[in-house]
Amino acid sequence: MAYDLVTVSAILCEIMRKELDKPLDKPADFTGPYASGDTPITVNIAAKLGAKTAVIGSVGPDPFGKCFKAQMVSSGVDVSMVKDIPGASTGCAFVCYYSDGSRDFLYHSRHAAAGMTHAEDLDMEKLQGTKWFHLTGYNMSVSKSLQETCYRIVDELPEGSRISFDPNIRPESLSVEEVRELCRPVIEKASIIFPSKTEAALFTGCATDEEGCRLWADQGKLVVLKNGSEGCIIYQGNEKIPVPSFQVEEVDPTGAGDTFCGAFLTALIEGKPLSECGRFACAAGAMSVRKQGPMEGAPSRAELEAFLKAHS
């Protein structure tokens, strides 16, 4: 059976501070590891909601690699295209949160197994029939080999497959200008773009996100602007659809936007109207922040539908 959603990832495990305002250059307690990576979070929620998903990437033959695979398998994600790299360590990220809502990340990915996926590792025959490939700017910025892996998917896109793209700019990796140039071939082929605040303006060179989103929409793309606690705005052609979010008690915001993408794509695959896709995704994103860990709060299908019913 063909996949609904496949992604390429710089696979990570995440270790985070237990308390706020504990910078990474000072001794303090951590919690984790938690399976992570932006696009694994996306396919994780999609699988939990019923989509057939897979992740492509690399881990080390170590406990963090086992942690990642166990999380994916428990959610129903196919890990048969996750390669073990002998002698390499699984990528990891350390994160701390501050009272003002900001975060600091420290990545060990470029020279870890996370950055060692190569274009020749792709089994394009196995990927025939895939409905959506979800790619991000962050993964393309990790290593030259990951960039080339994403480019191969774009260049050899199976018939009937489409590209979903989340810019996901990480200033810890490359500058905006460098990421913009790296991502240009993917953006050109993308059918859906999921920018966060400021990214539509930055990637298009427009003065505002509104102008940037409309520019992409005029090019025939479906654009879903993620506005965090404010919900999202969907742009298609001349249509603009604002969708409000849900008020919840936030514990850990990491991965909410990636969860949003996975839920939105799942709803779209199921043929739901765009406004309903947005509501479905906003609910999943809101639910995901209620537990510590980037995938720990991802709801099951039954939990998400109960949440939506309760907030109808």
Side-chain angles (χ1 to χ4, degrees):
M1 183 185 298
Y3 297 108
D4 293 314
L5 179 62
V6 174
T7 194
V8 175
S9 174
I11 290 170
L12 301 170
C13 272
E14 192 167 303
I15 302 97
M16 61 185 65
R17 290 295 198 198
K18 288 183 177 180
E19 301 175 78
L20 296 175
D21 302 316
K22 302 293 183 182
L24 295 176
D25 62 343
K26 305 293 183 184
D29 290 339
F30 286 100
T31 183
Y34 297 104
S36 193
D38 57 353
T39 59
I41 296 170
T42 298
V43 295
N44 177 77
I45 183 61
K48 293 188 73 169
L49 295 176
K52 183 175 176 57
T53 73
V55 60
I56 299 167
S58 302
V59 297
D62 55 29
F64 281 6
K66 292 179 182 178
C67 170
F68 177 84
K69 287 184 178 180
Q71 172 66 55
M72 293 291 101
V73 171
S74 70
S75 296
V77 180
D78 185 340
V79 295
S80 63
M81 291 179 281
V82 174
K83 184 175 65 174
D84 287 326
I85 307 290
S89 297
T90 301
C92 61
F94 295 86
V95 61
C96 65
Y97 300 93
Y98 297 99
S99 300
D100 63 3
S102 62
R103 296 173 287 176
D104 276 343
F105 284 93
L106 176 61
Y107 292 99
H108 293 277
S109 54
R110 190 182 304 273
H111 301 295
M116 297 180 183
T117 299
H118 294 83
E120 55 266 29
D121 296 331
L122 293 174
D123 183 349
M124 295 306 297
E125 186 62 33
K126 186 174 182 177
L127 296 172
Q128 296 300 309
T130 298
K131 293 176 182 175
W132 288 95
F133 289 93
H134 184 65
L135 307 176
T136 70
Y138 169 69
N139 287 300
M140 298 182 67
S141 71
V142 169
S143 69
K144 181 72 172 177
S145 62
L146 265 175
Q147 174 194 337
E148 292 172 347
T149 302
C150 293
Y151 283 172
R152 184 181 176 194
I153 287 175
V154 171
D155 292 341
E156 301 179 27
L157 192 66
E159 185 176 356
S161 299
R162 290 184 285 178
I163 297 291
S164 163
F165 180 70
D166 184 344
N168 198 12
I169 296 171
R170 298 288 178 87
E172 300 91 346
S173 304
L174 293 173
S175 69
V176 171
E177 291 75 16
E178 290 170 317
V179 175
R180 183 189 294 167
E181 188 57 34
L182 280 178
C183 298
R184 192 183 307 279
V186 181
I187 290 175
E188 289 175 354
K189 286 284 189 75
S191 296
I192 297 181
I193 303 179
F194 289 101
S196 296
K197 290 181 180 180
T198 75
E199 289 181 336
L202 288 171
F203 269 77
T204 61
C206 293
T208 65
D209 281 335
E210 171 84 11
E211 292 178 13
C213 289
R214 289 196 178 279
L215 176 64
W216 279 330
D218 288 343
Q219 295 170 358
K221 303 180 188 302
L222 176 62
V223 185
V224 185
L225 178 64
K226 297 179 290 181
N227 279 326
S229 61
E230 299 173 21
C232 70
I233 303 174
I234 303 168
Y235 297 83
Q236 185 180 51
N238 294 322
E239 193 174 12
K240 177 181 177 181
I241 308 169
V243 181
S245 190
F246 300 83
Q247 298 303 310
V248 297
E249 184 177 350
E250 181 181 294
V251 175
D252 181 0
T254 299
D258 304 310
T259 299
F260 175 98
C261 292
F264 191 99
L265 288 166
T266 301
L268 192 68
I269 289 166
E270 294 177 359
K272 295 183 186 299
L274 289 179
S275 59
E276 192 173 338
C277 290
R279 181 171 166 78
F280 196 74
C282 284
M287 295 179 76
S288 74
V289 308
R290 302 185 300 178
K291 293 183 180 180
Q292 193 165 43
M295 301 187 200
E296 305 307 304
S300 67
R301 184 67 180 236
E303 290 169 335
L304 180 55
E305 289 180 348
F307 181 91
L308 284 167
K309 185 176 181 180
H311 291 79
S312 61

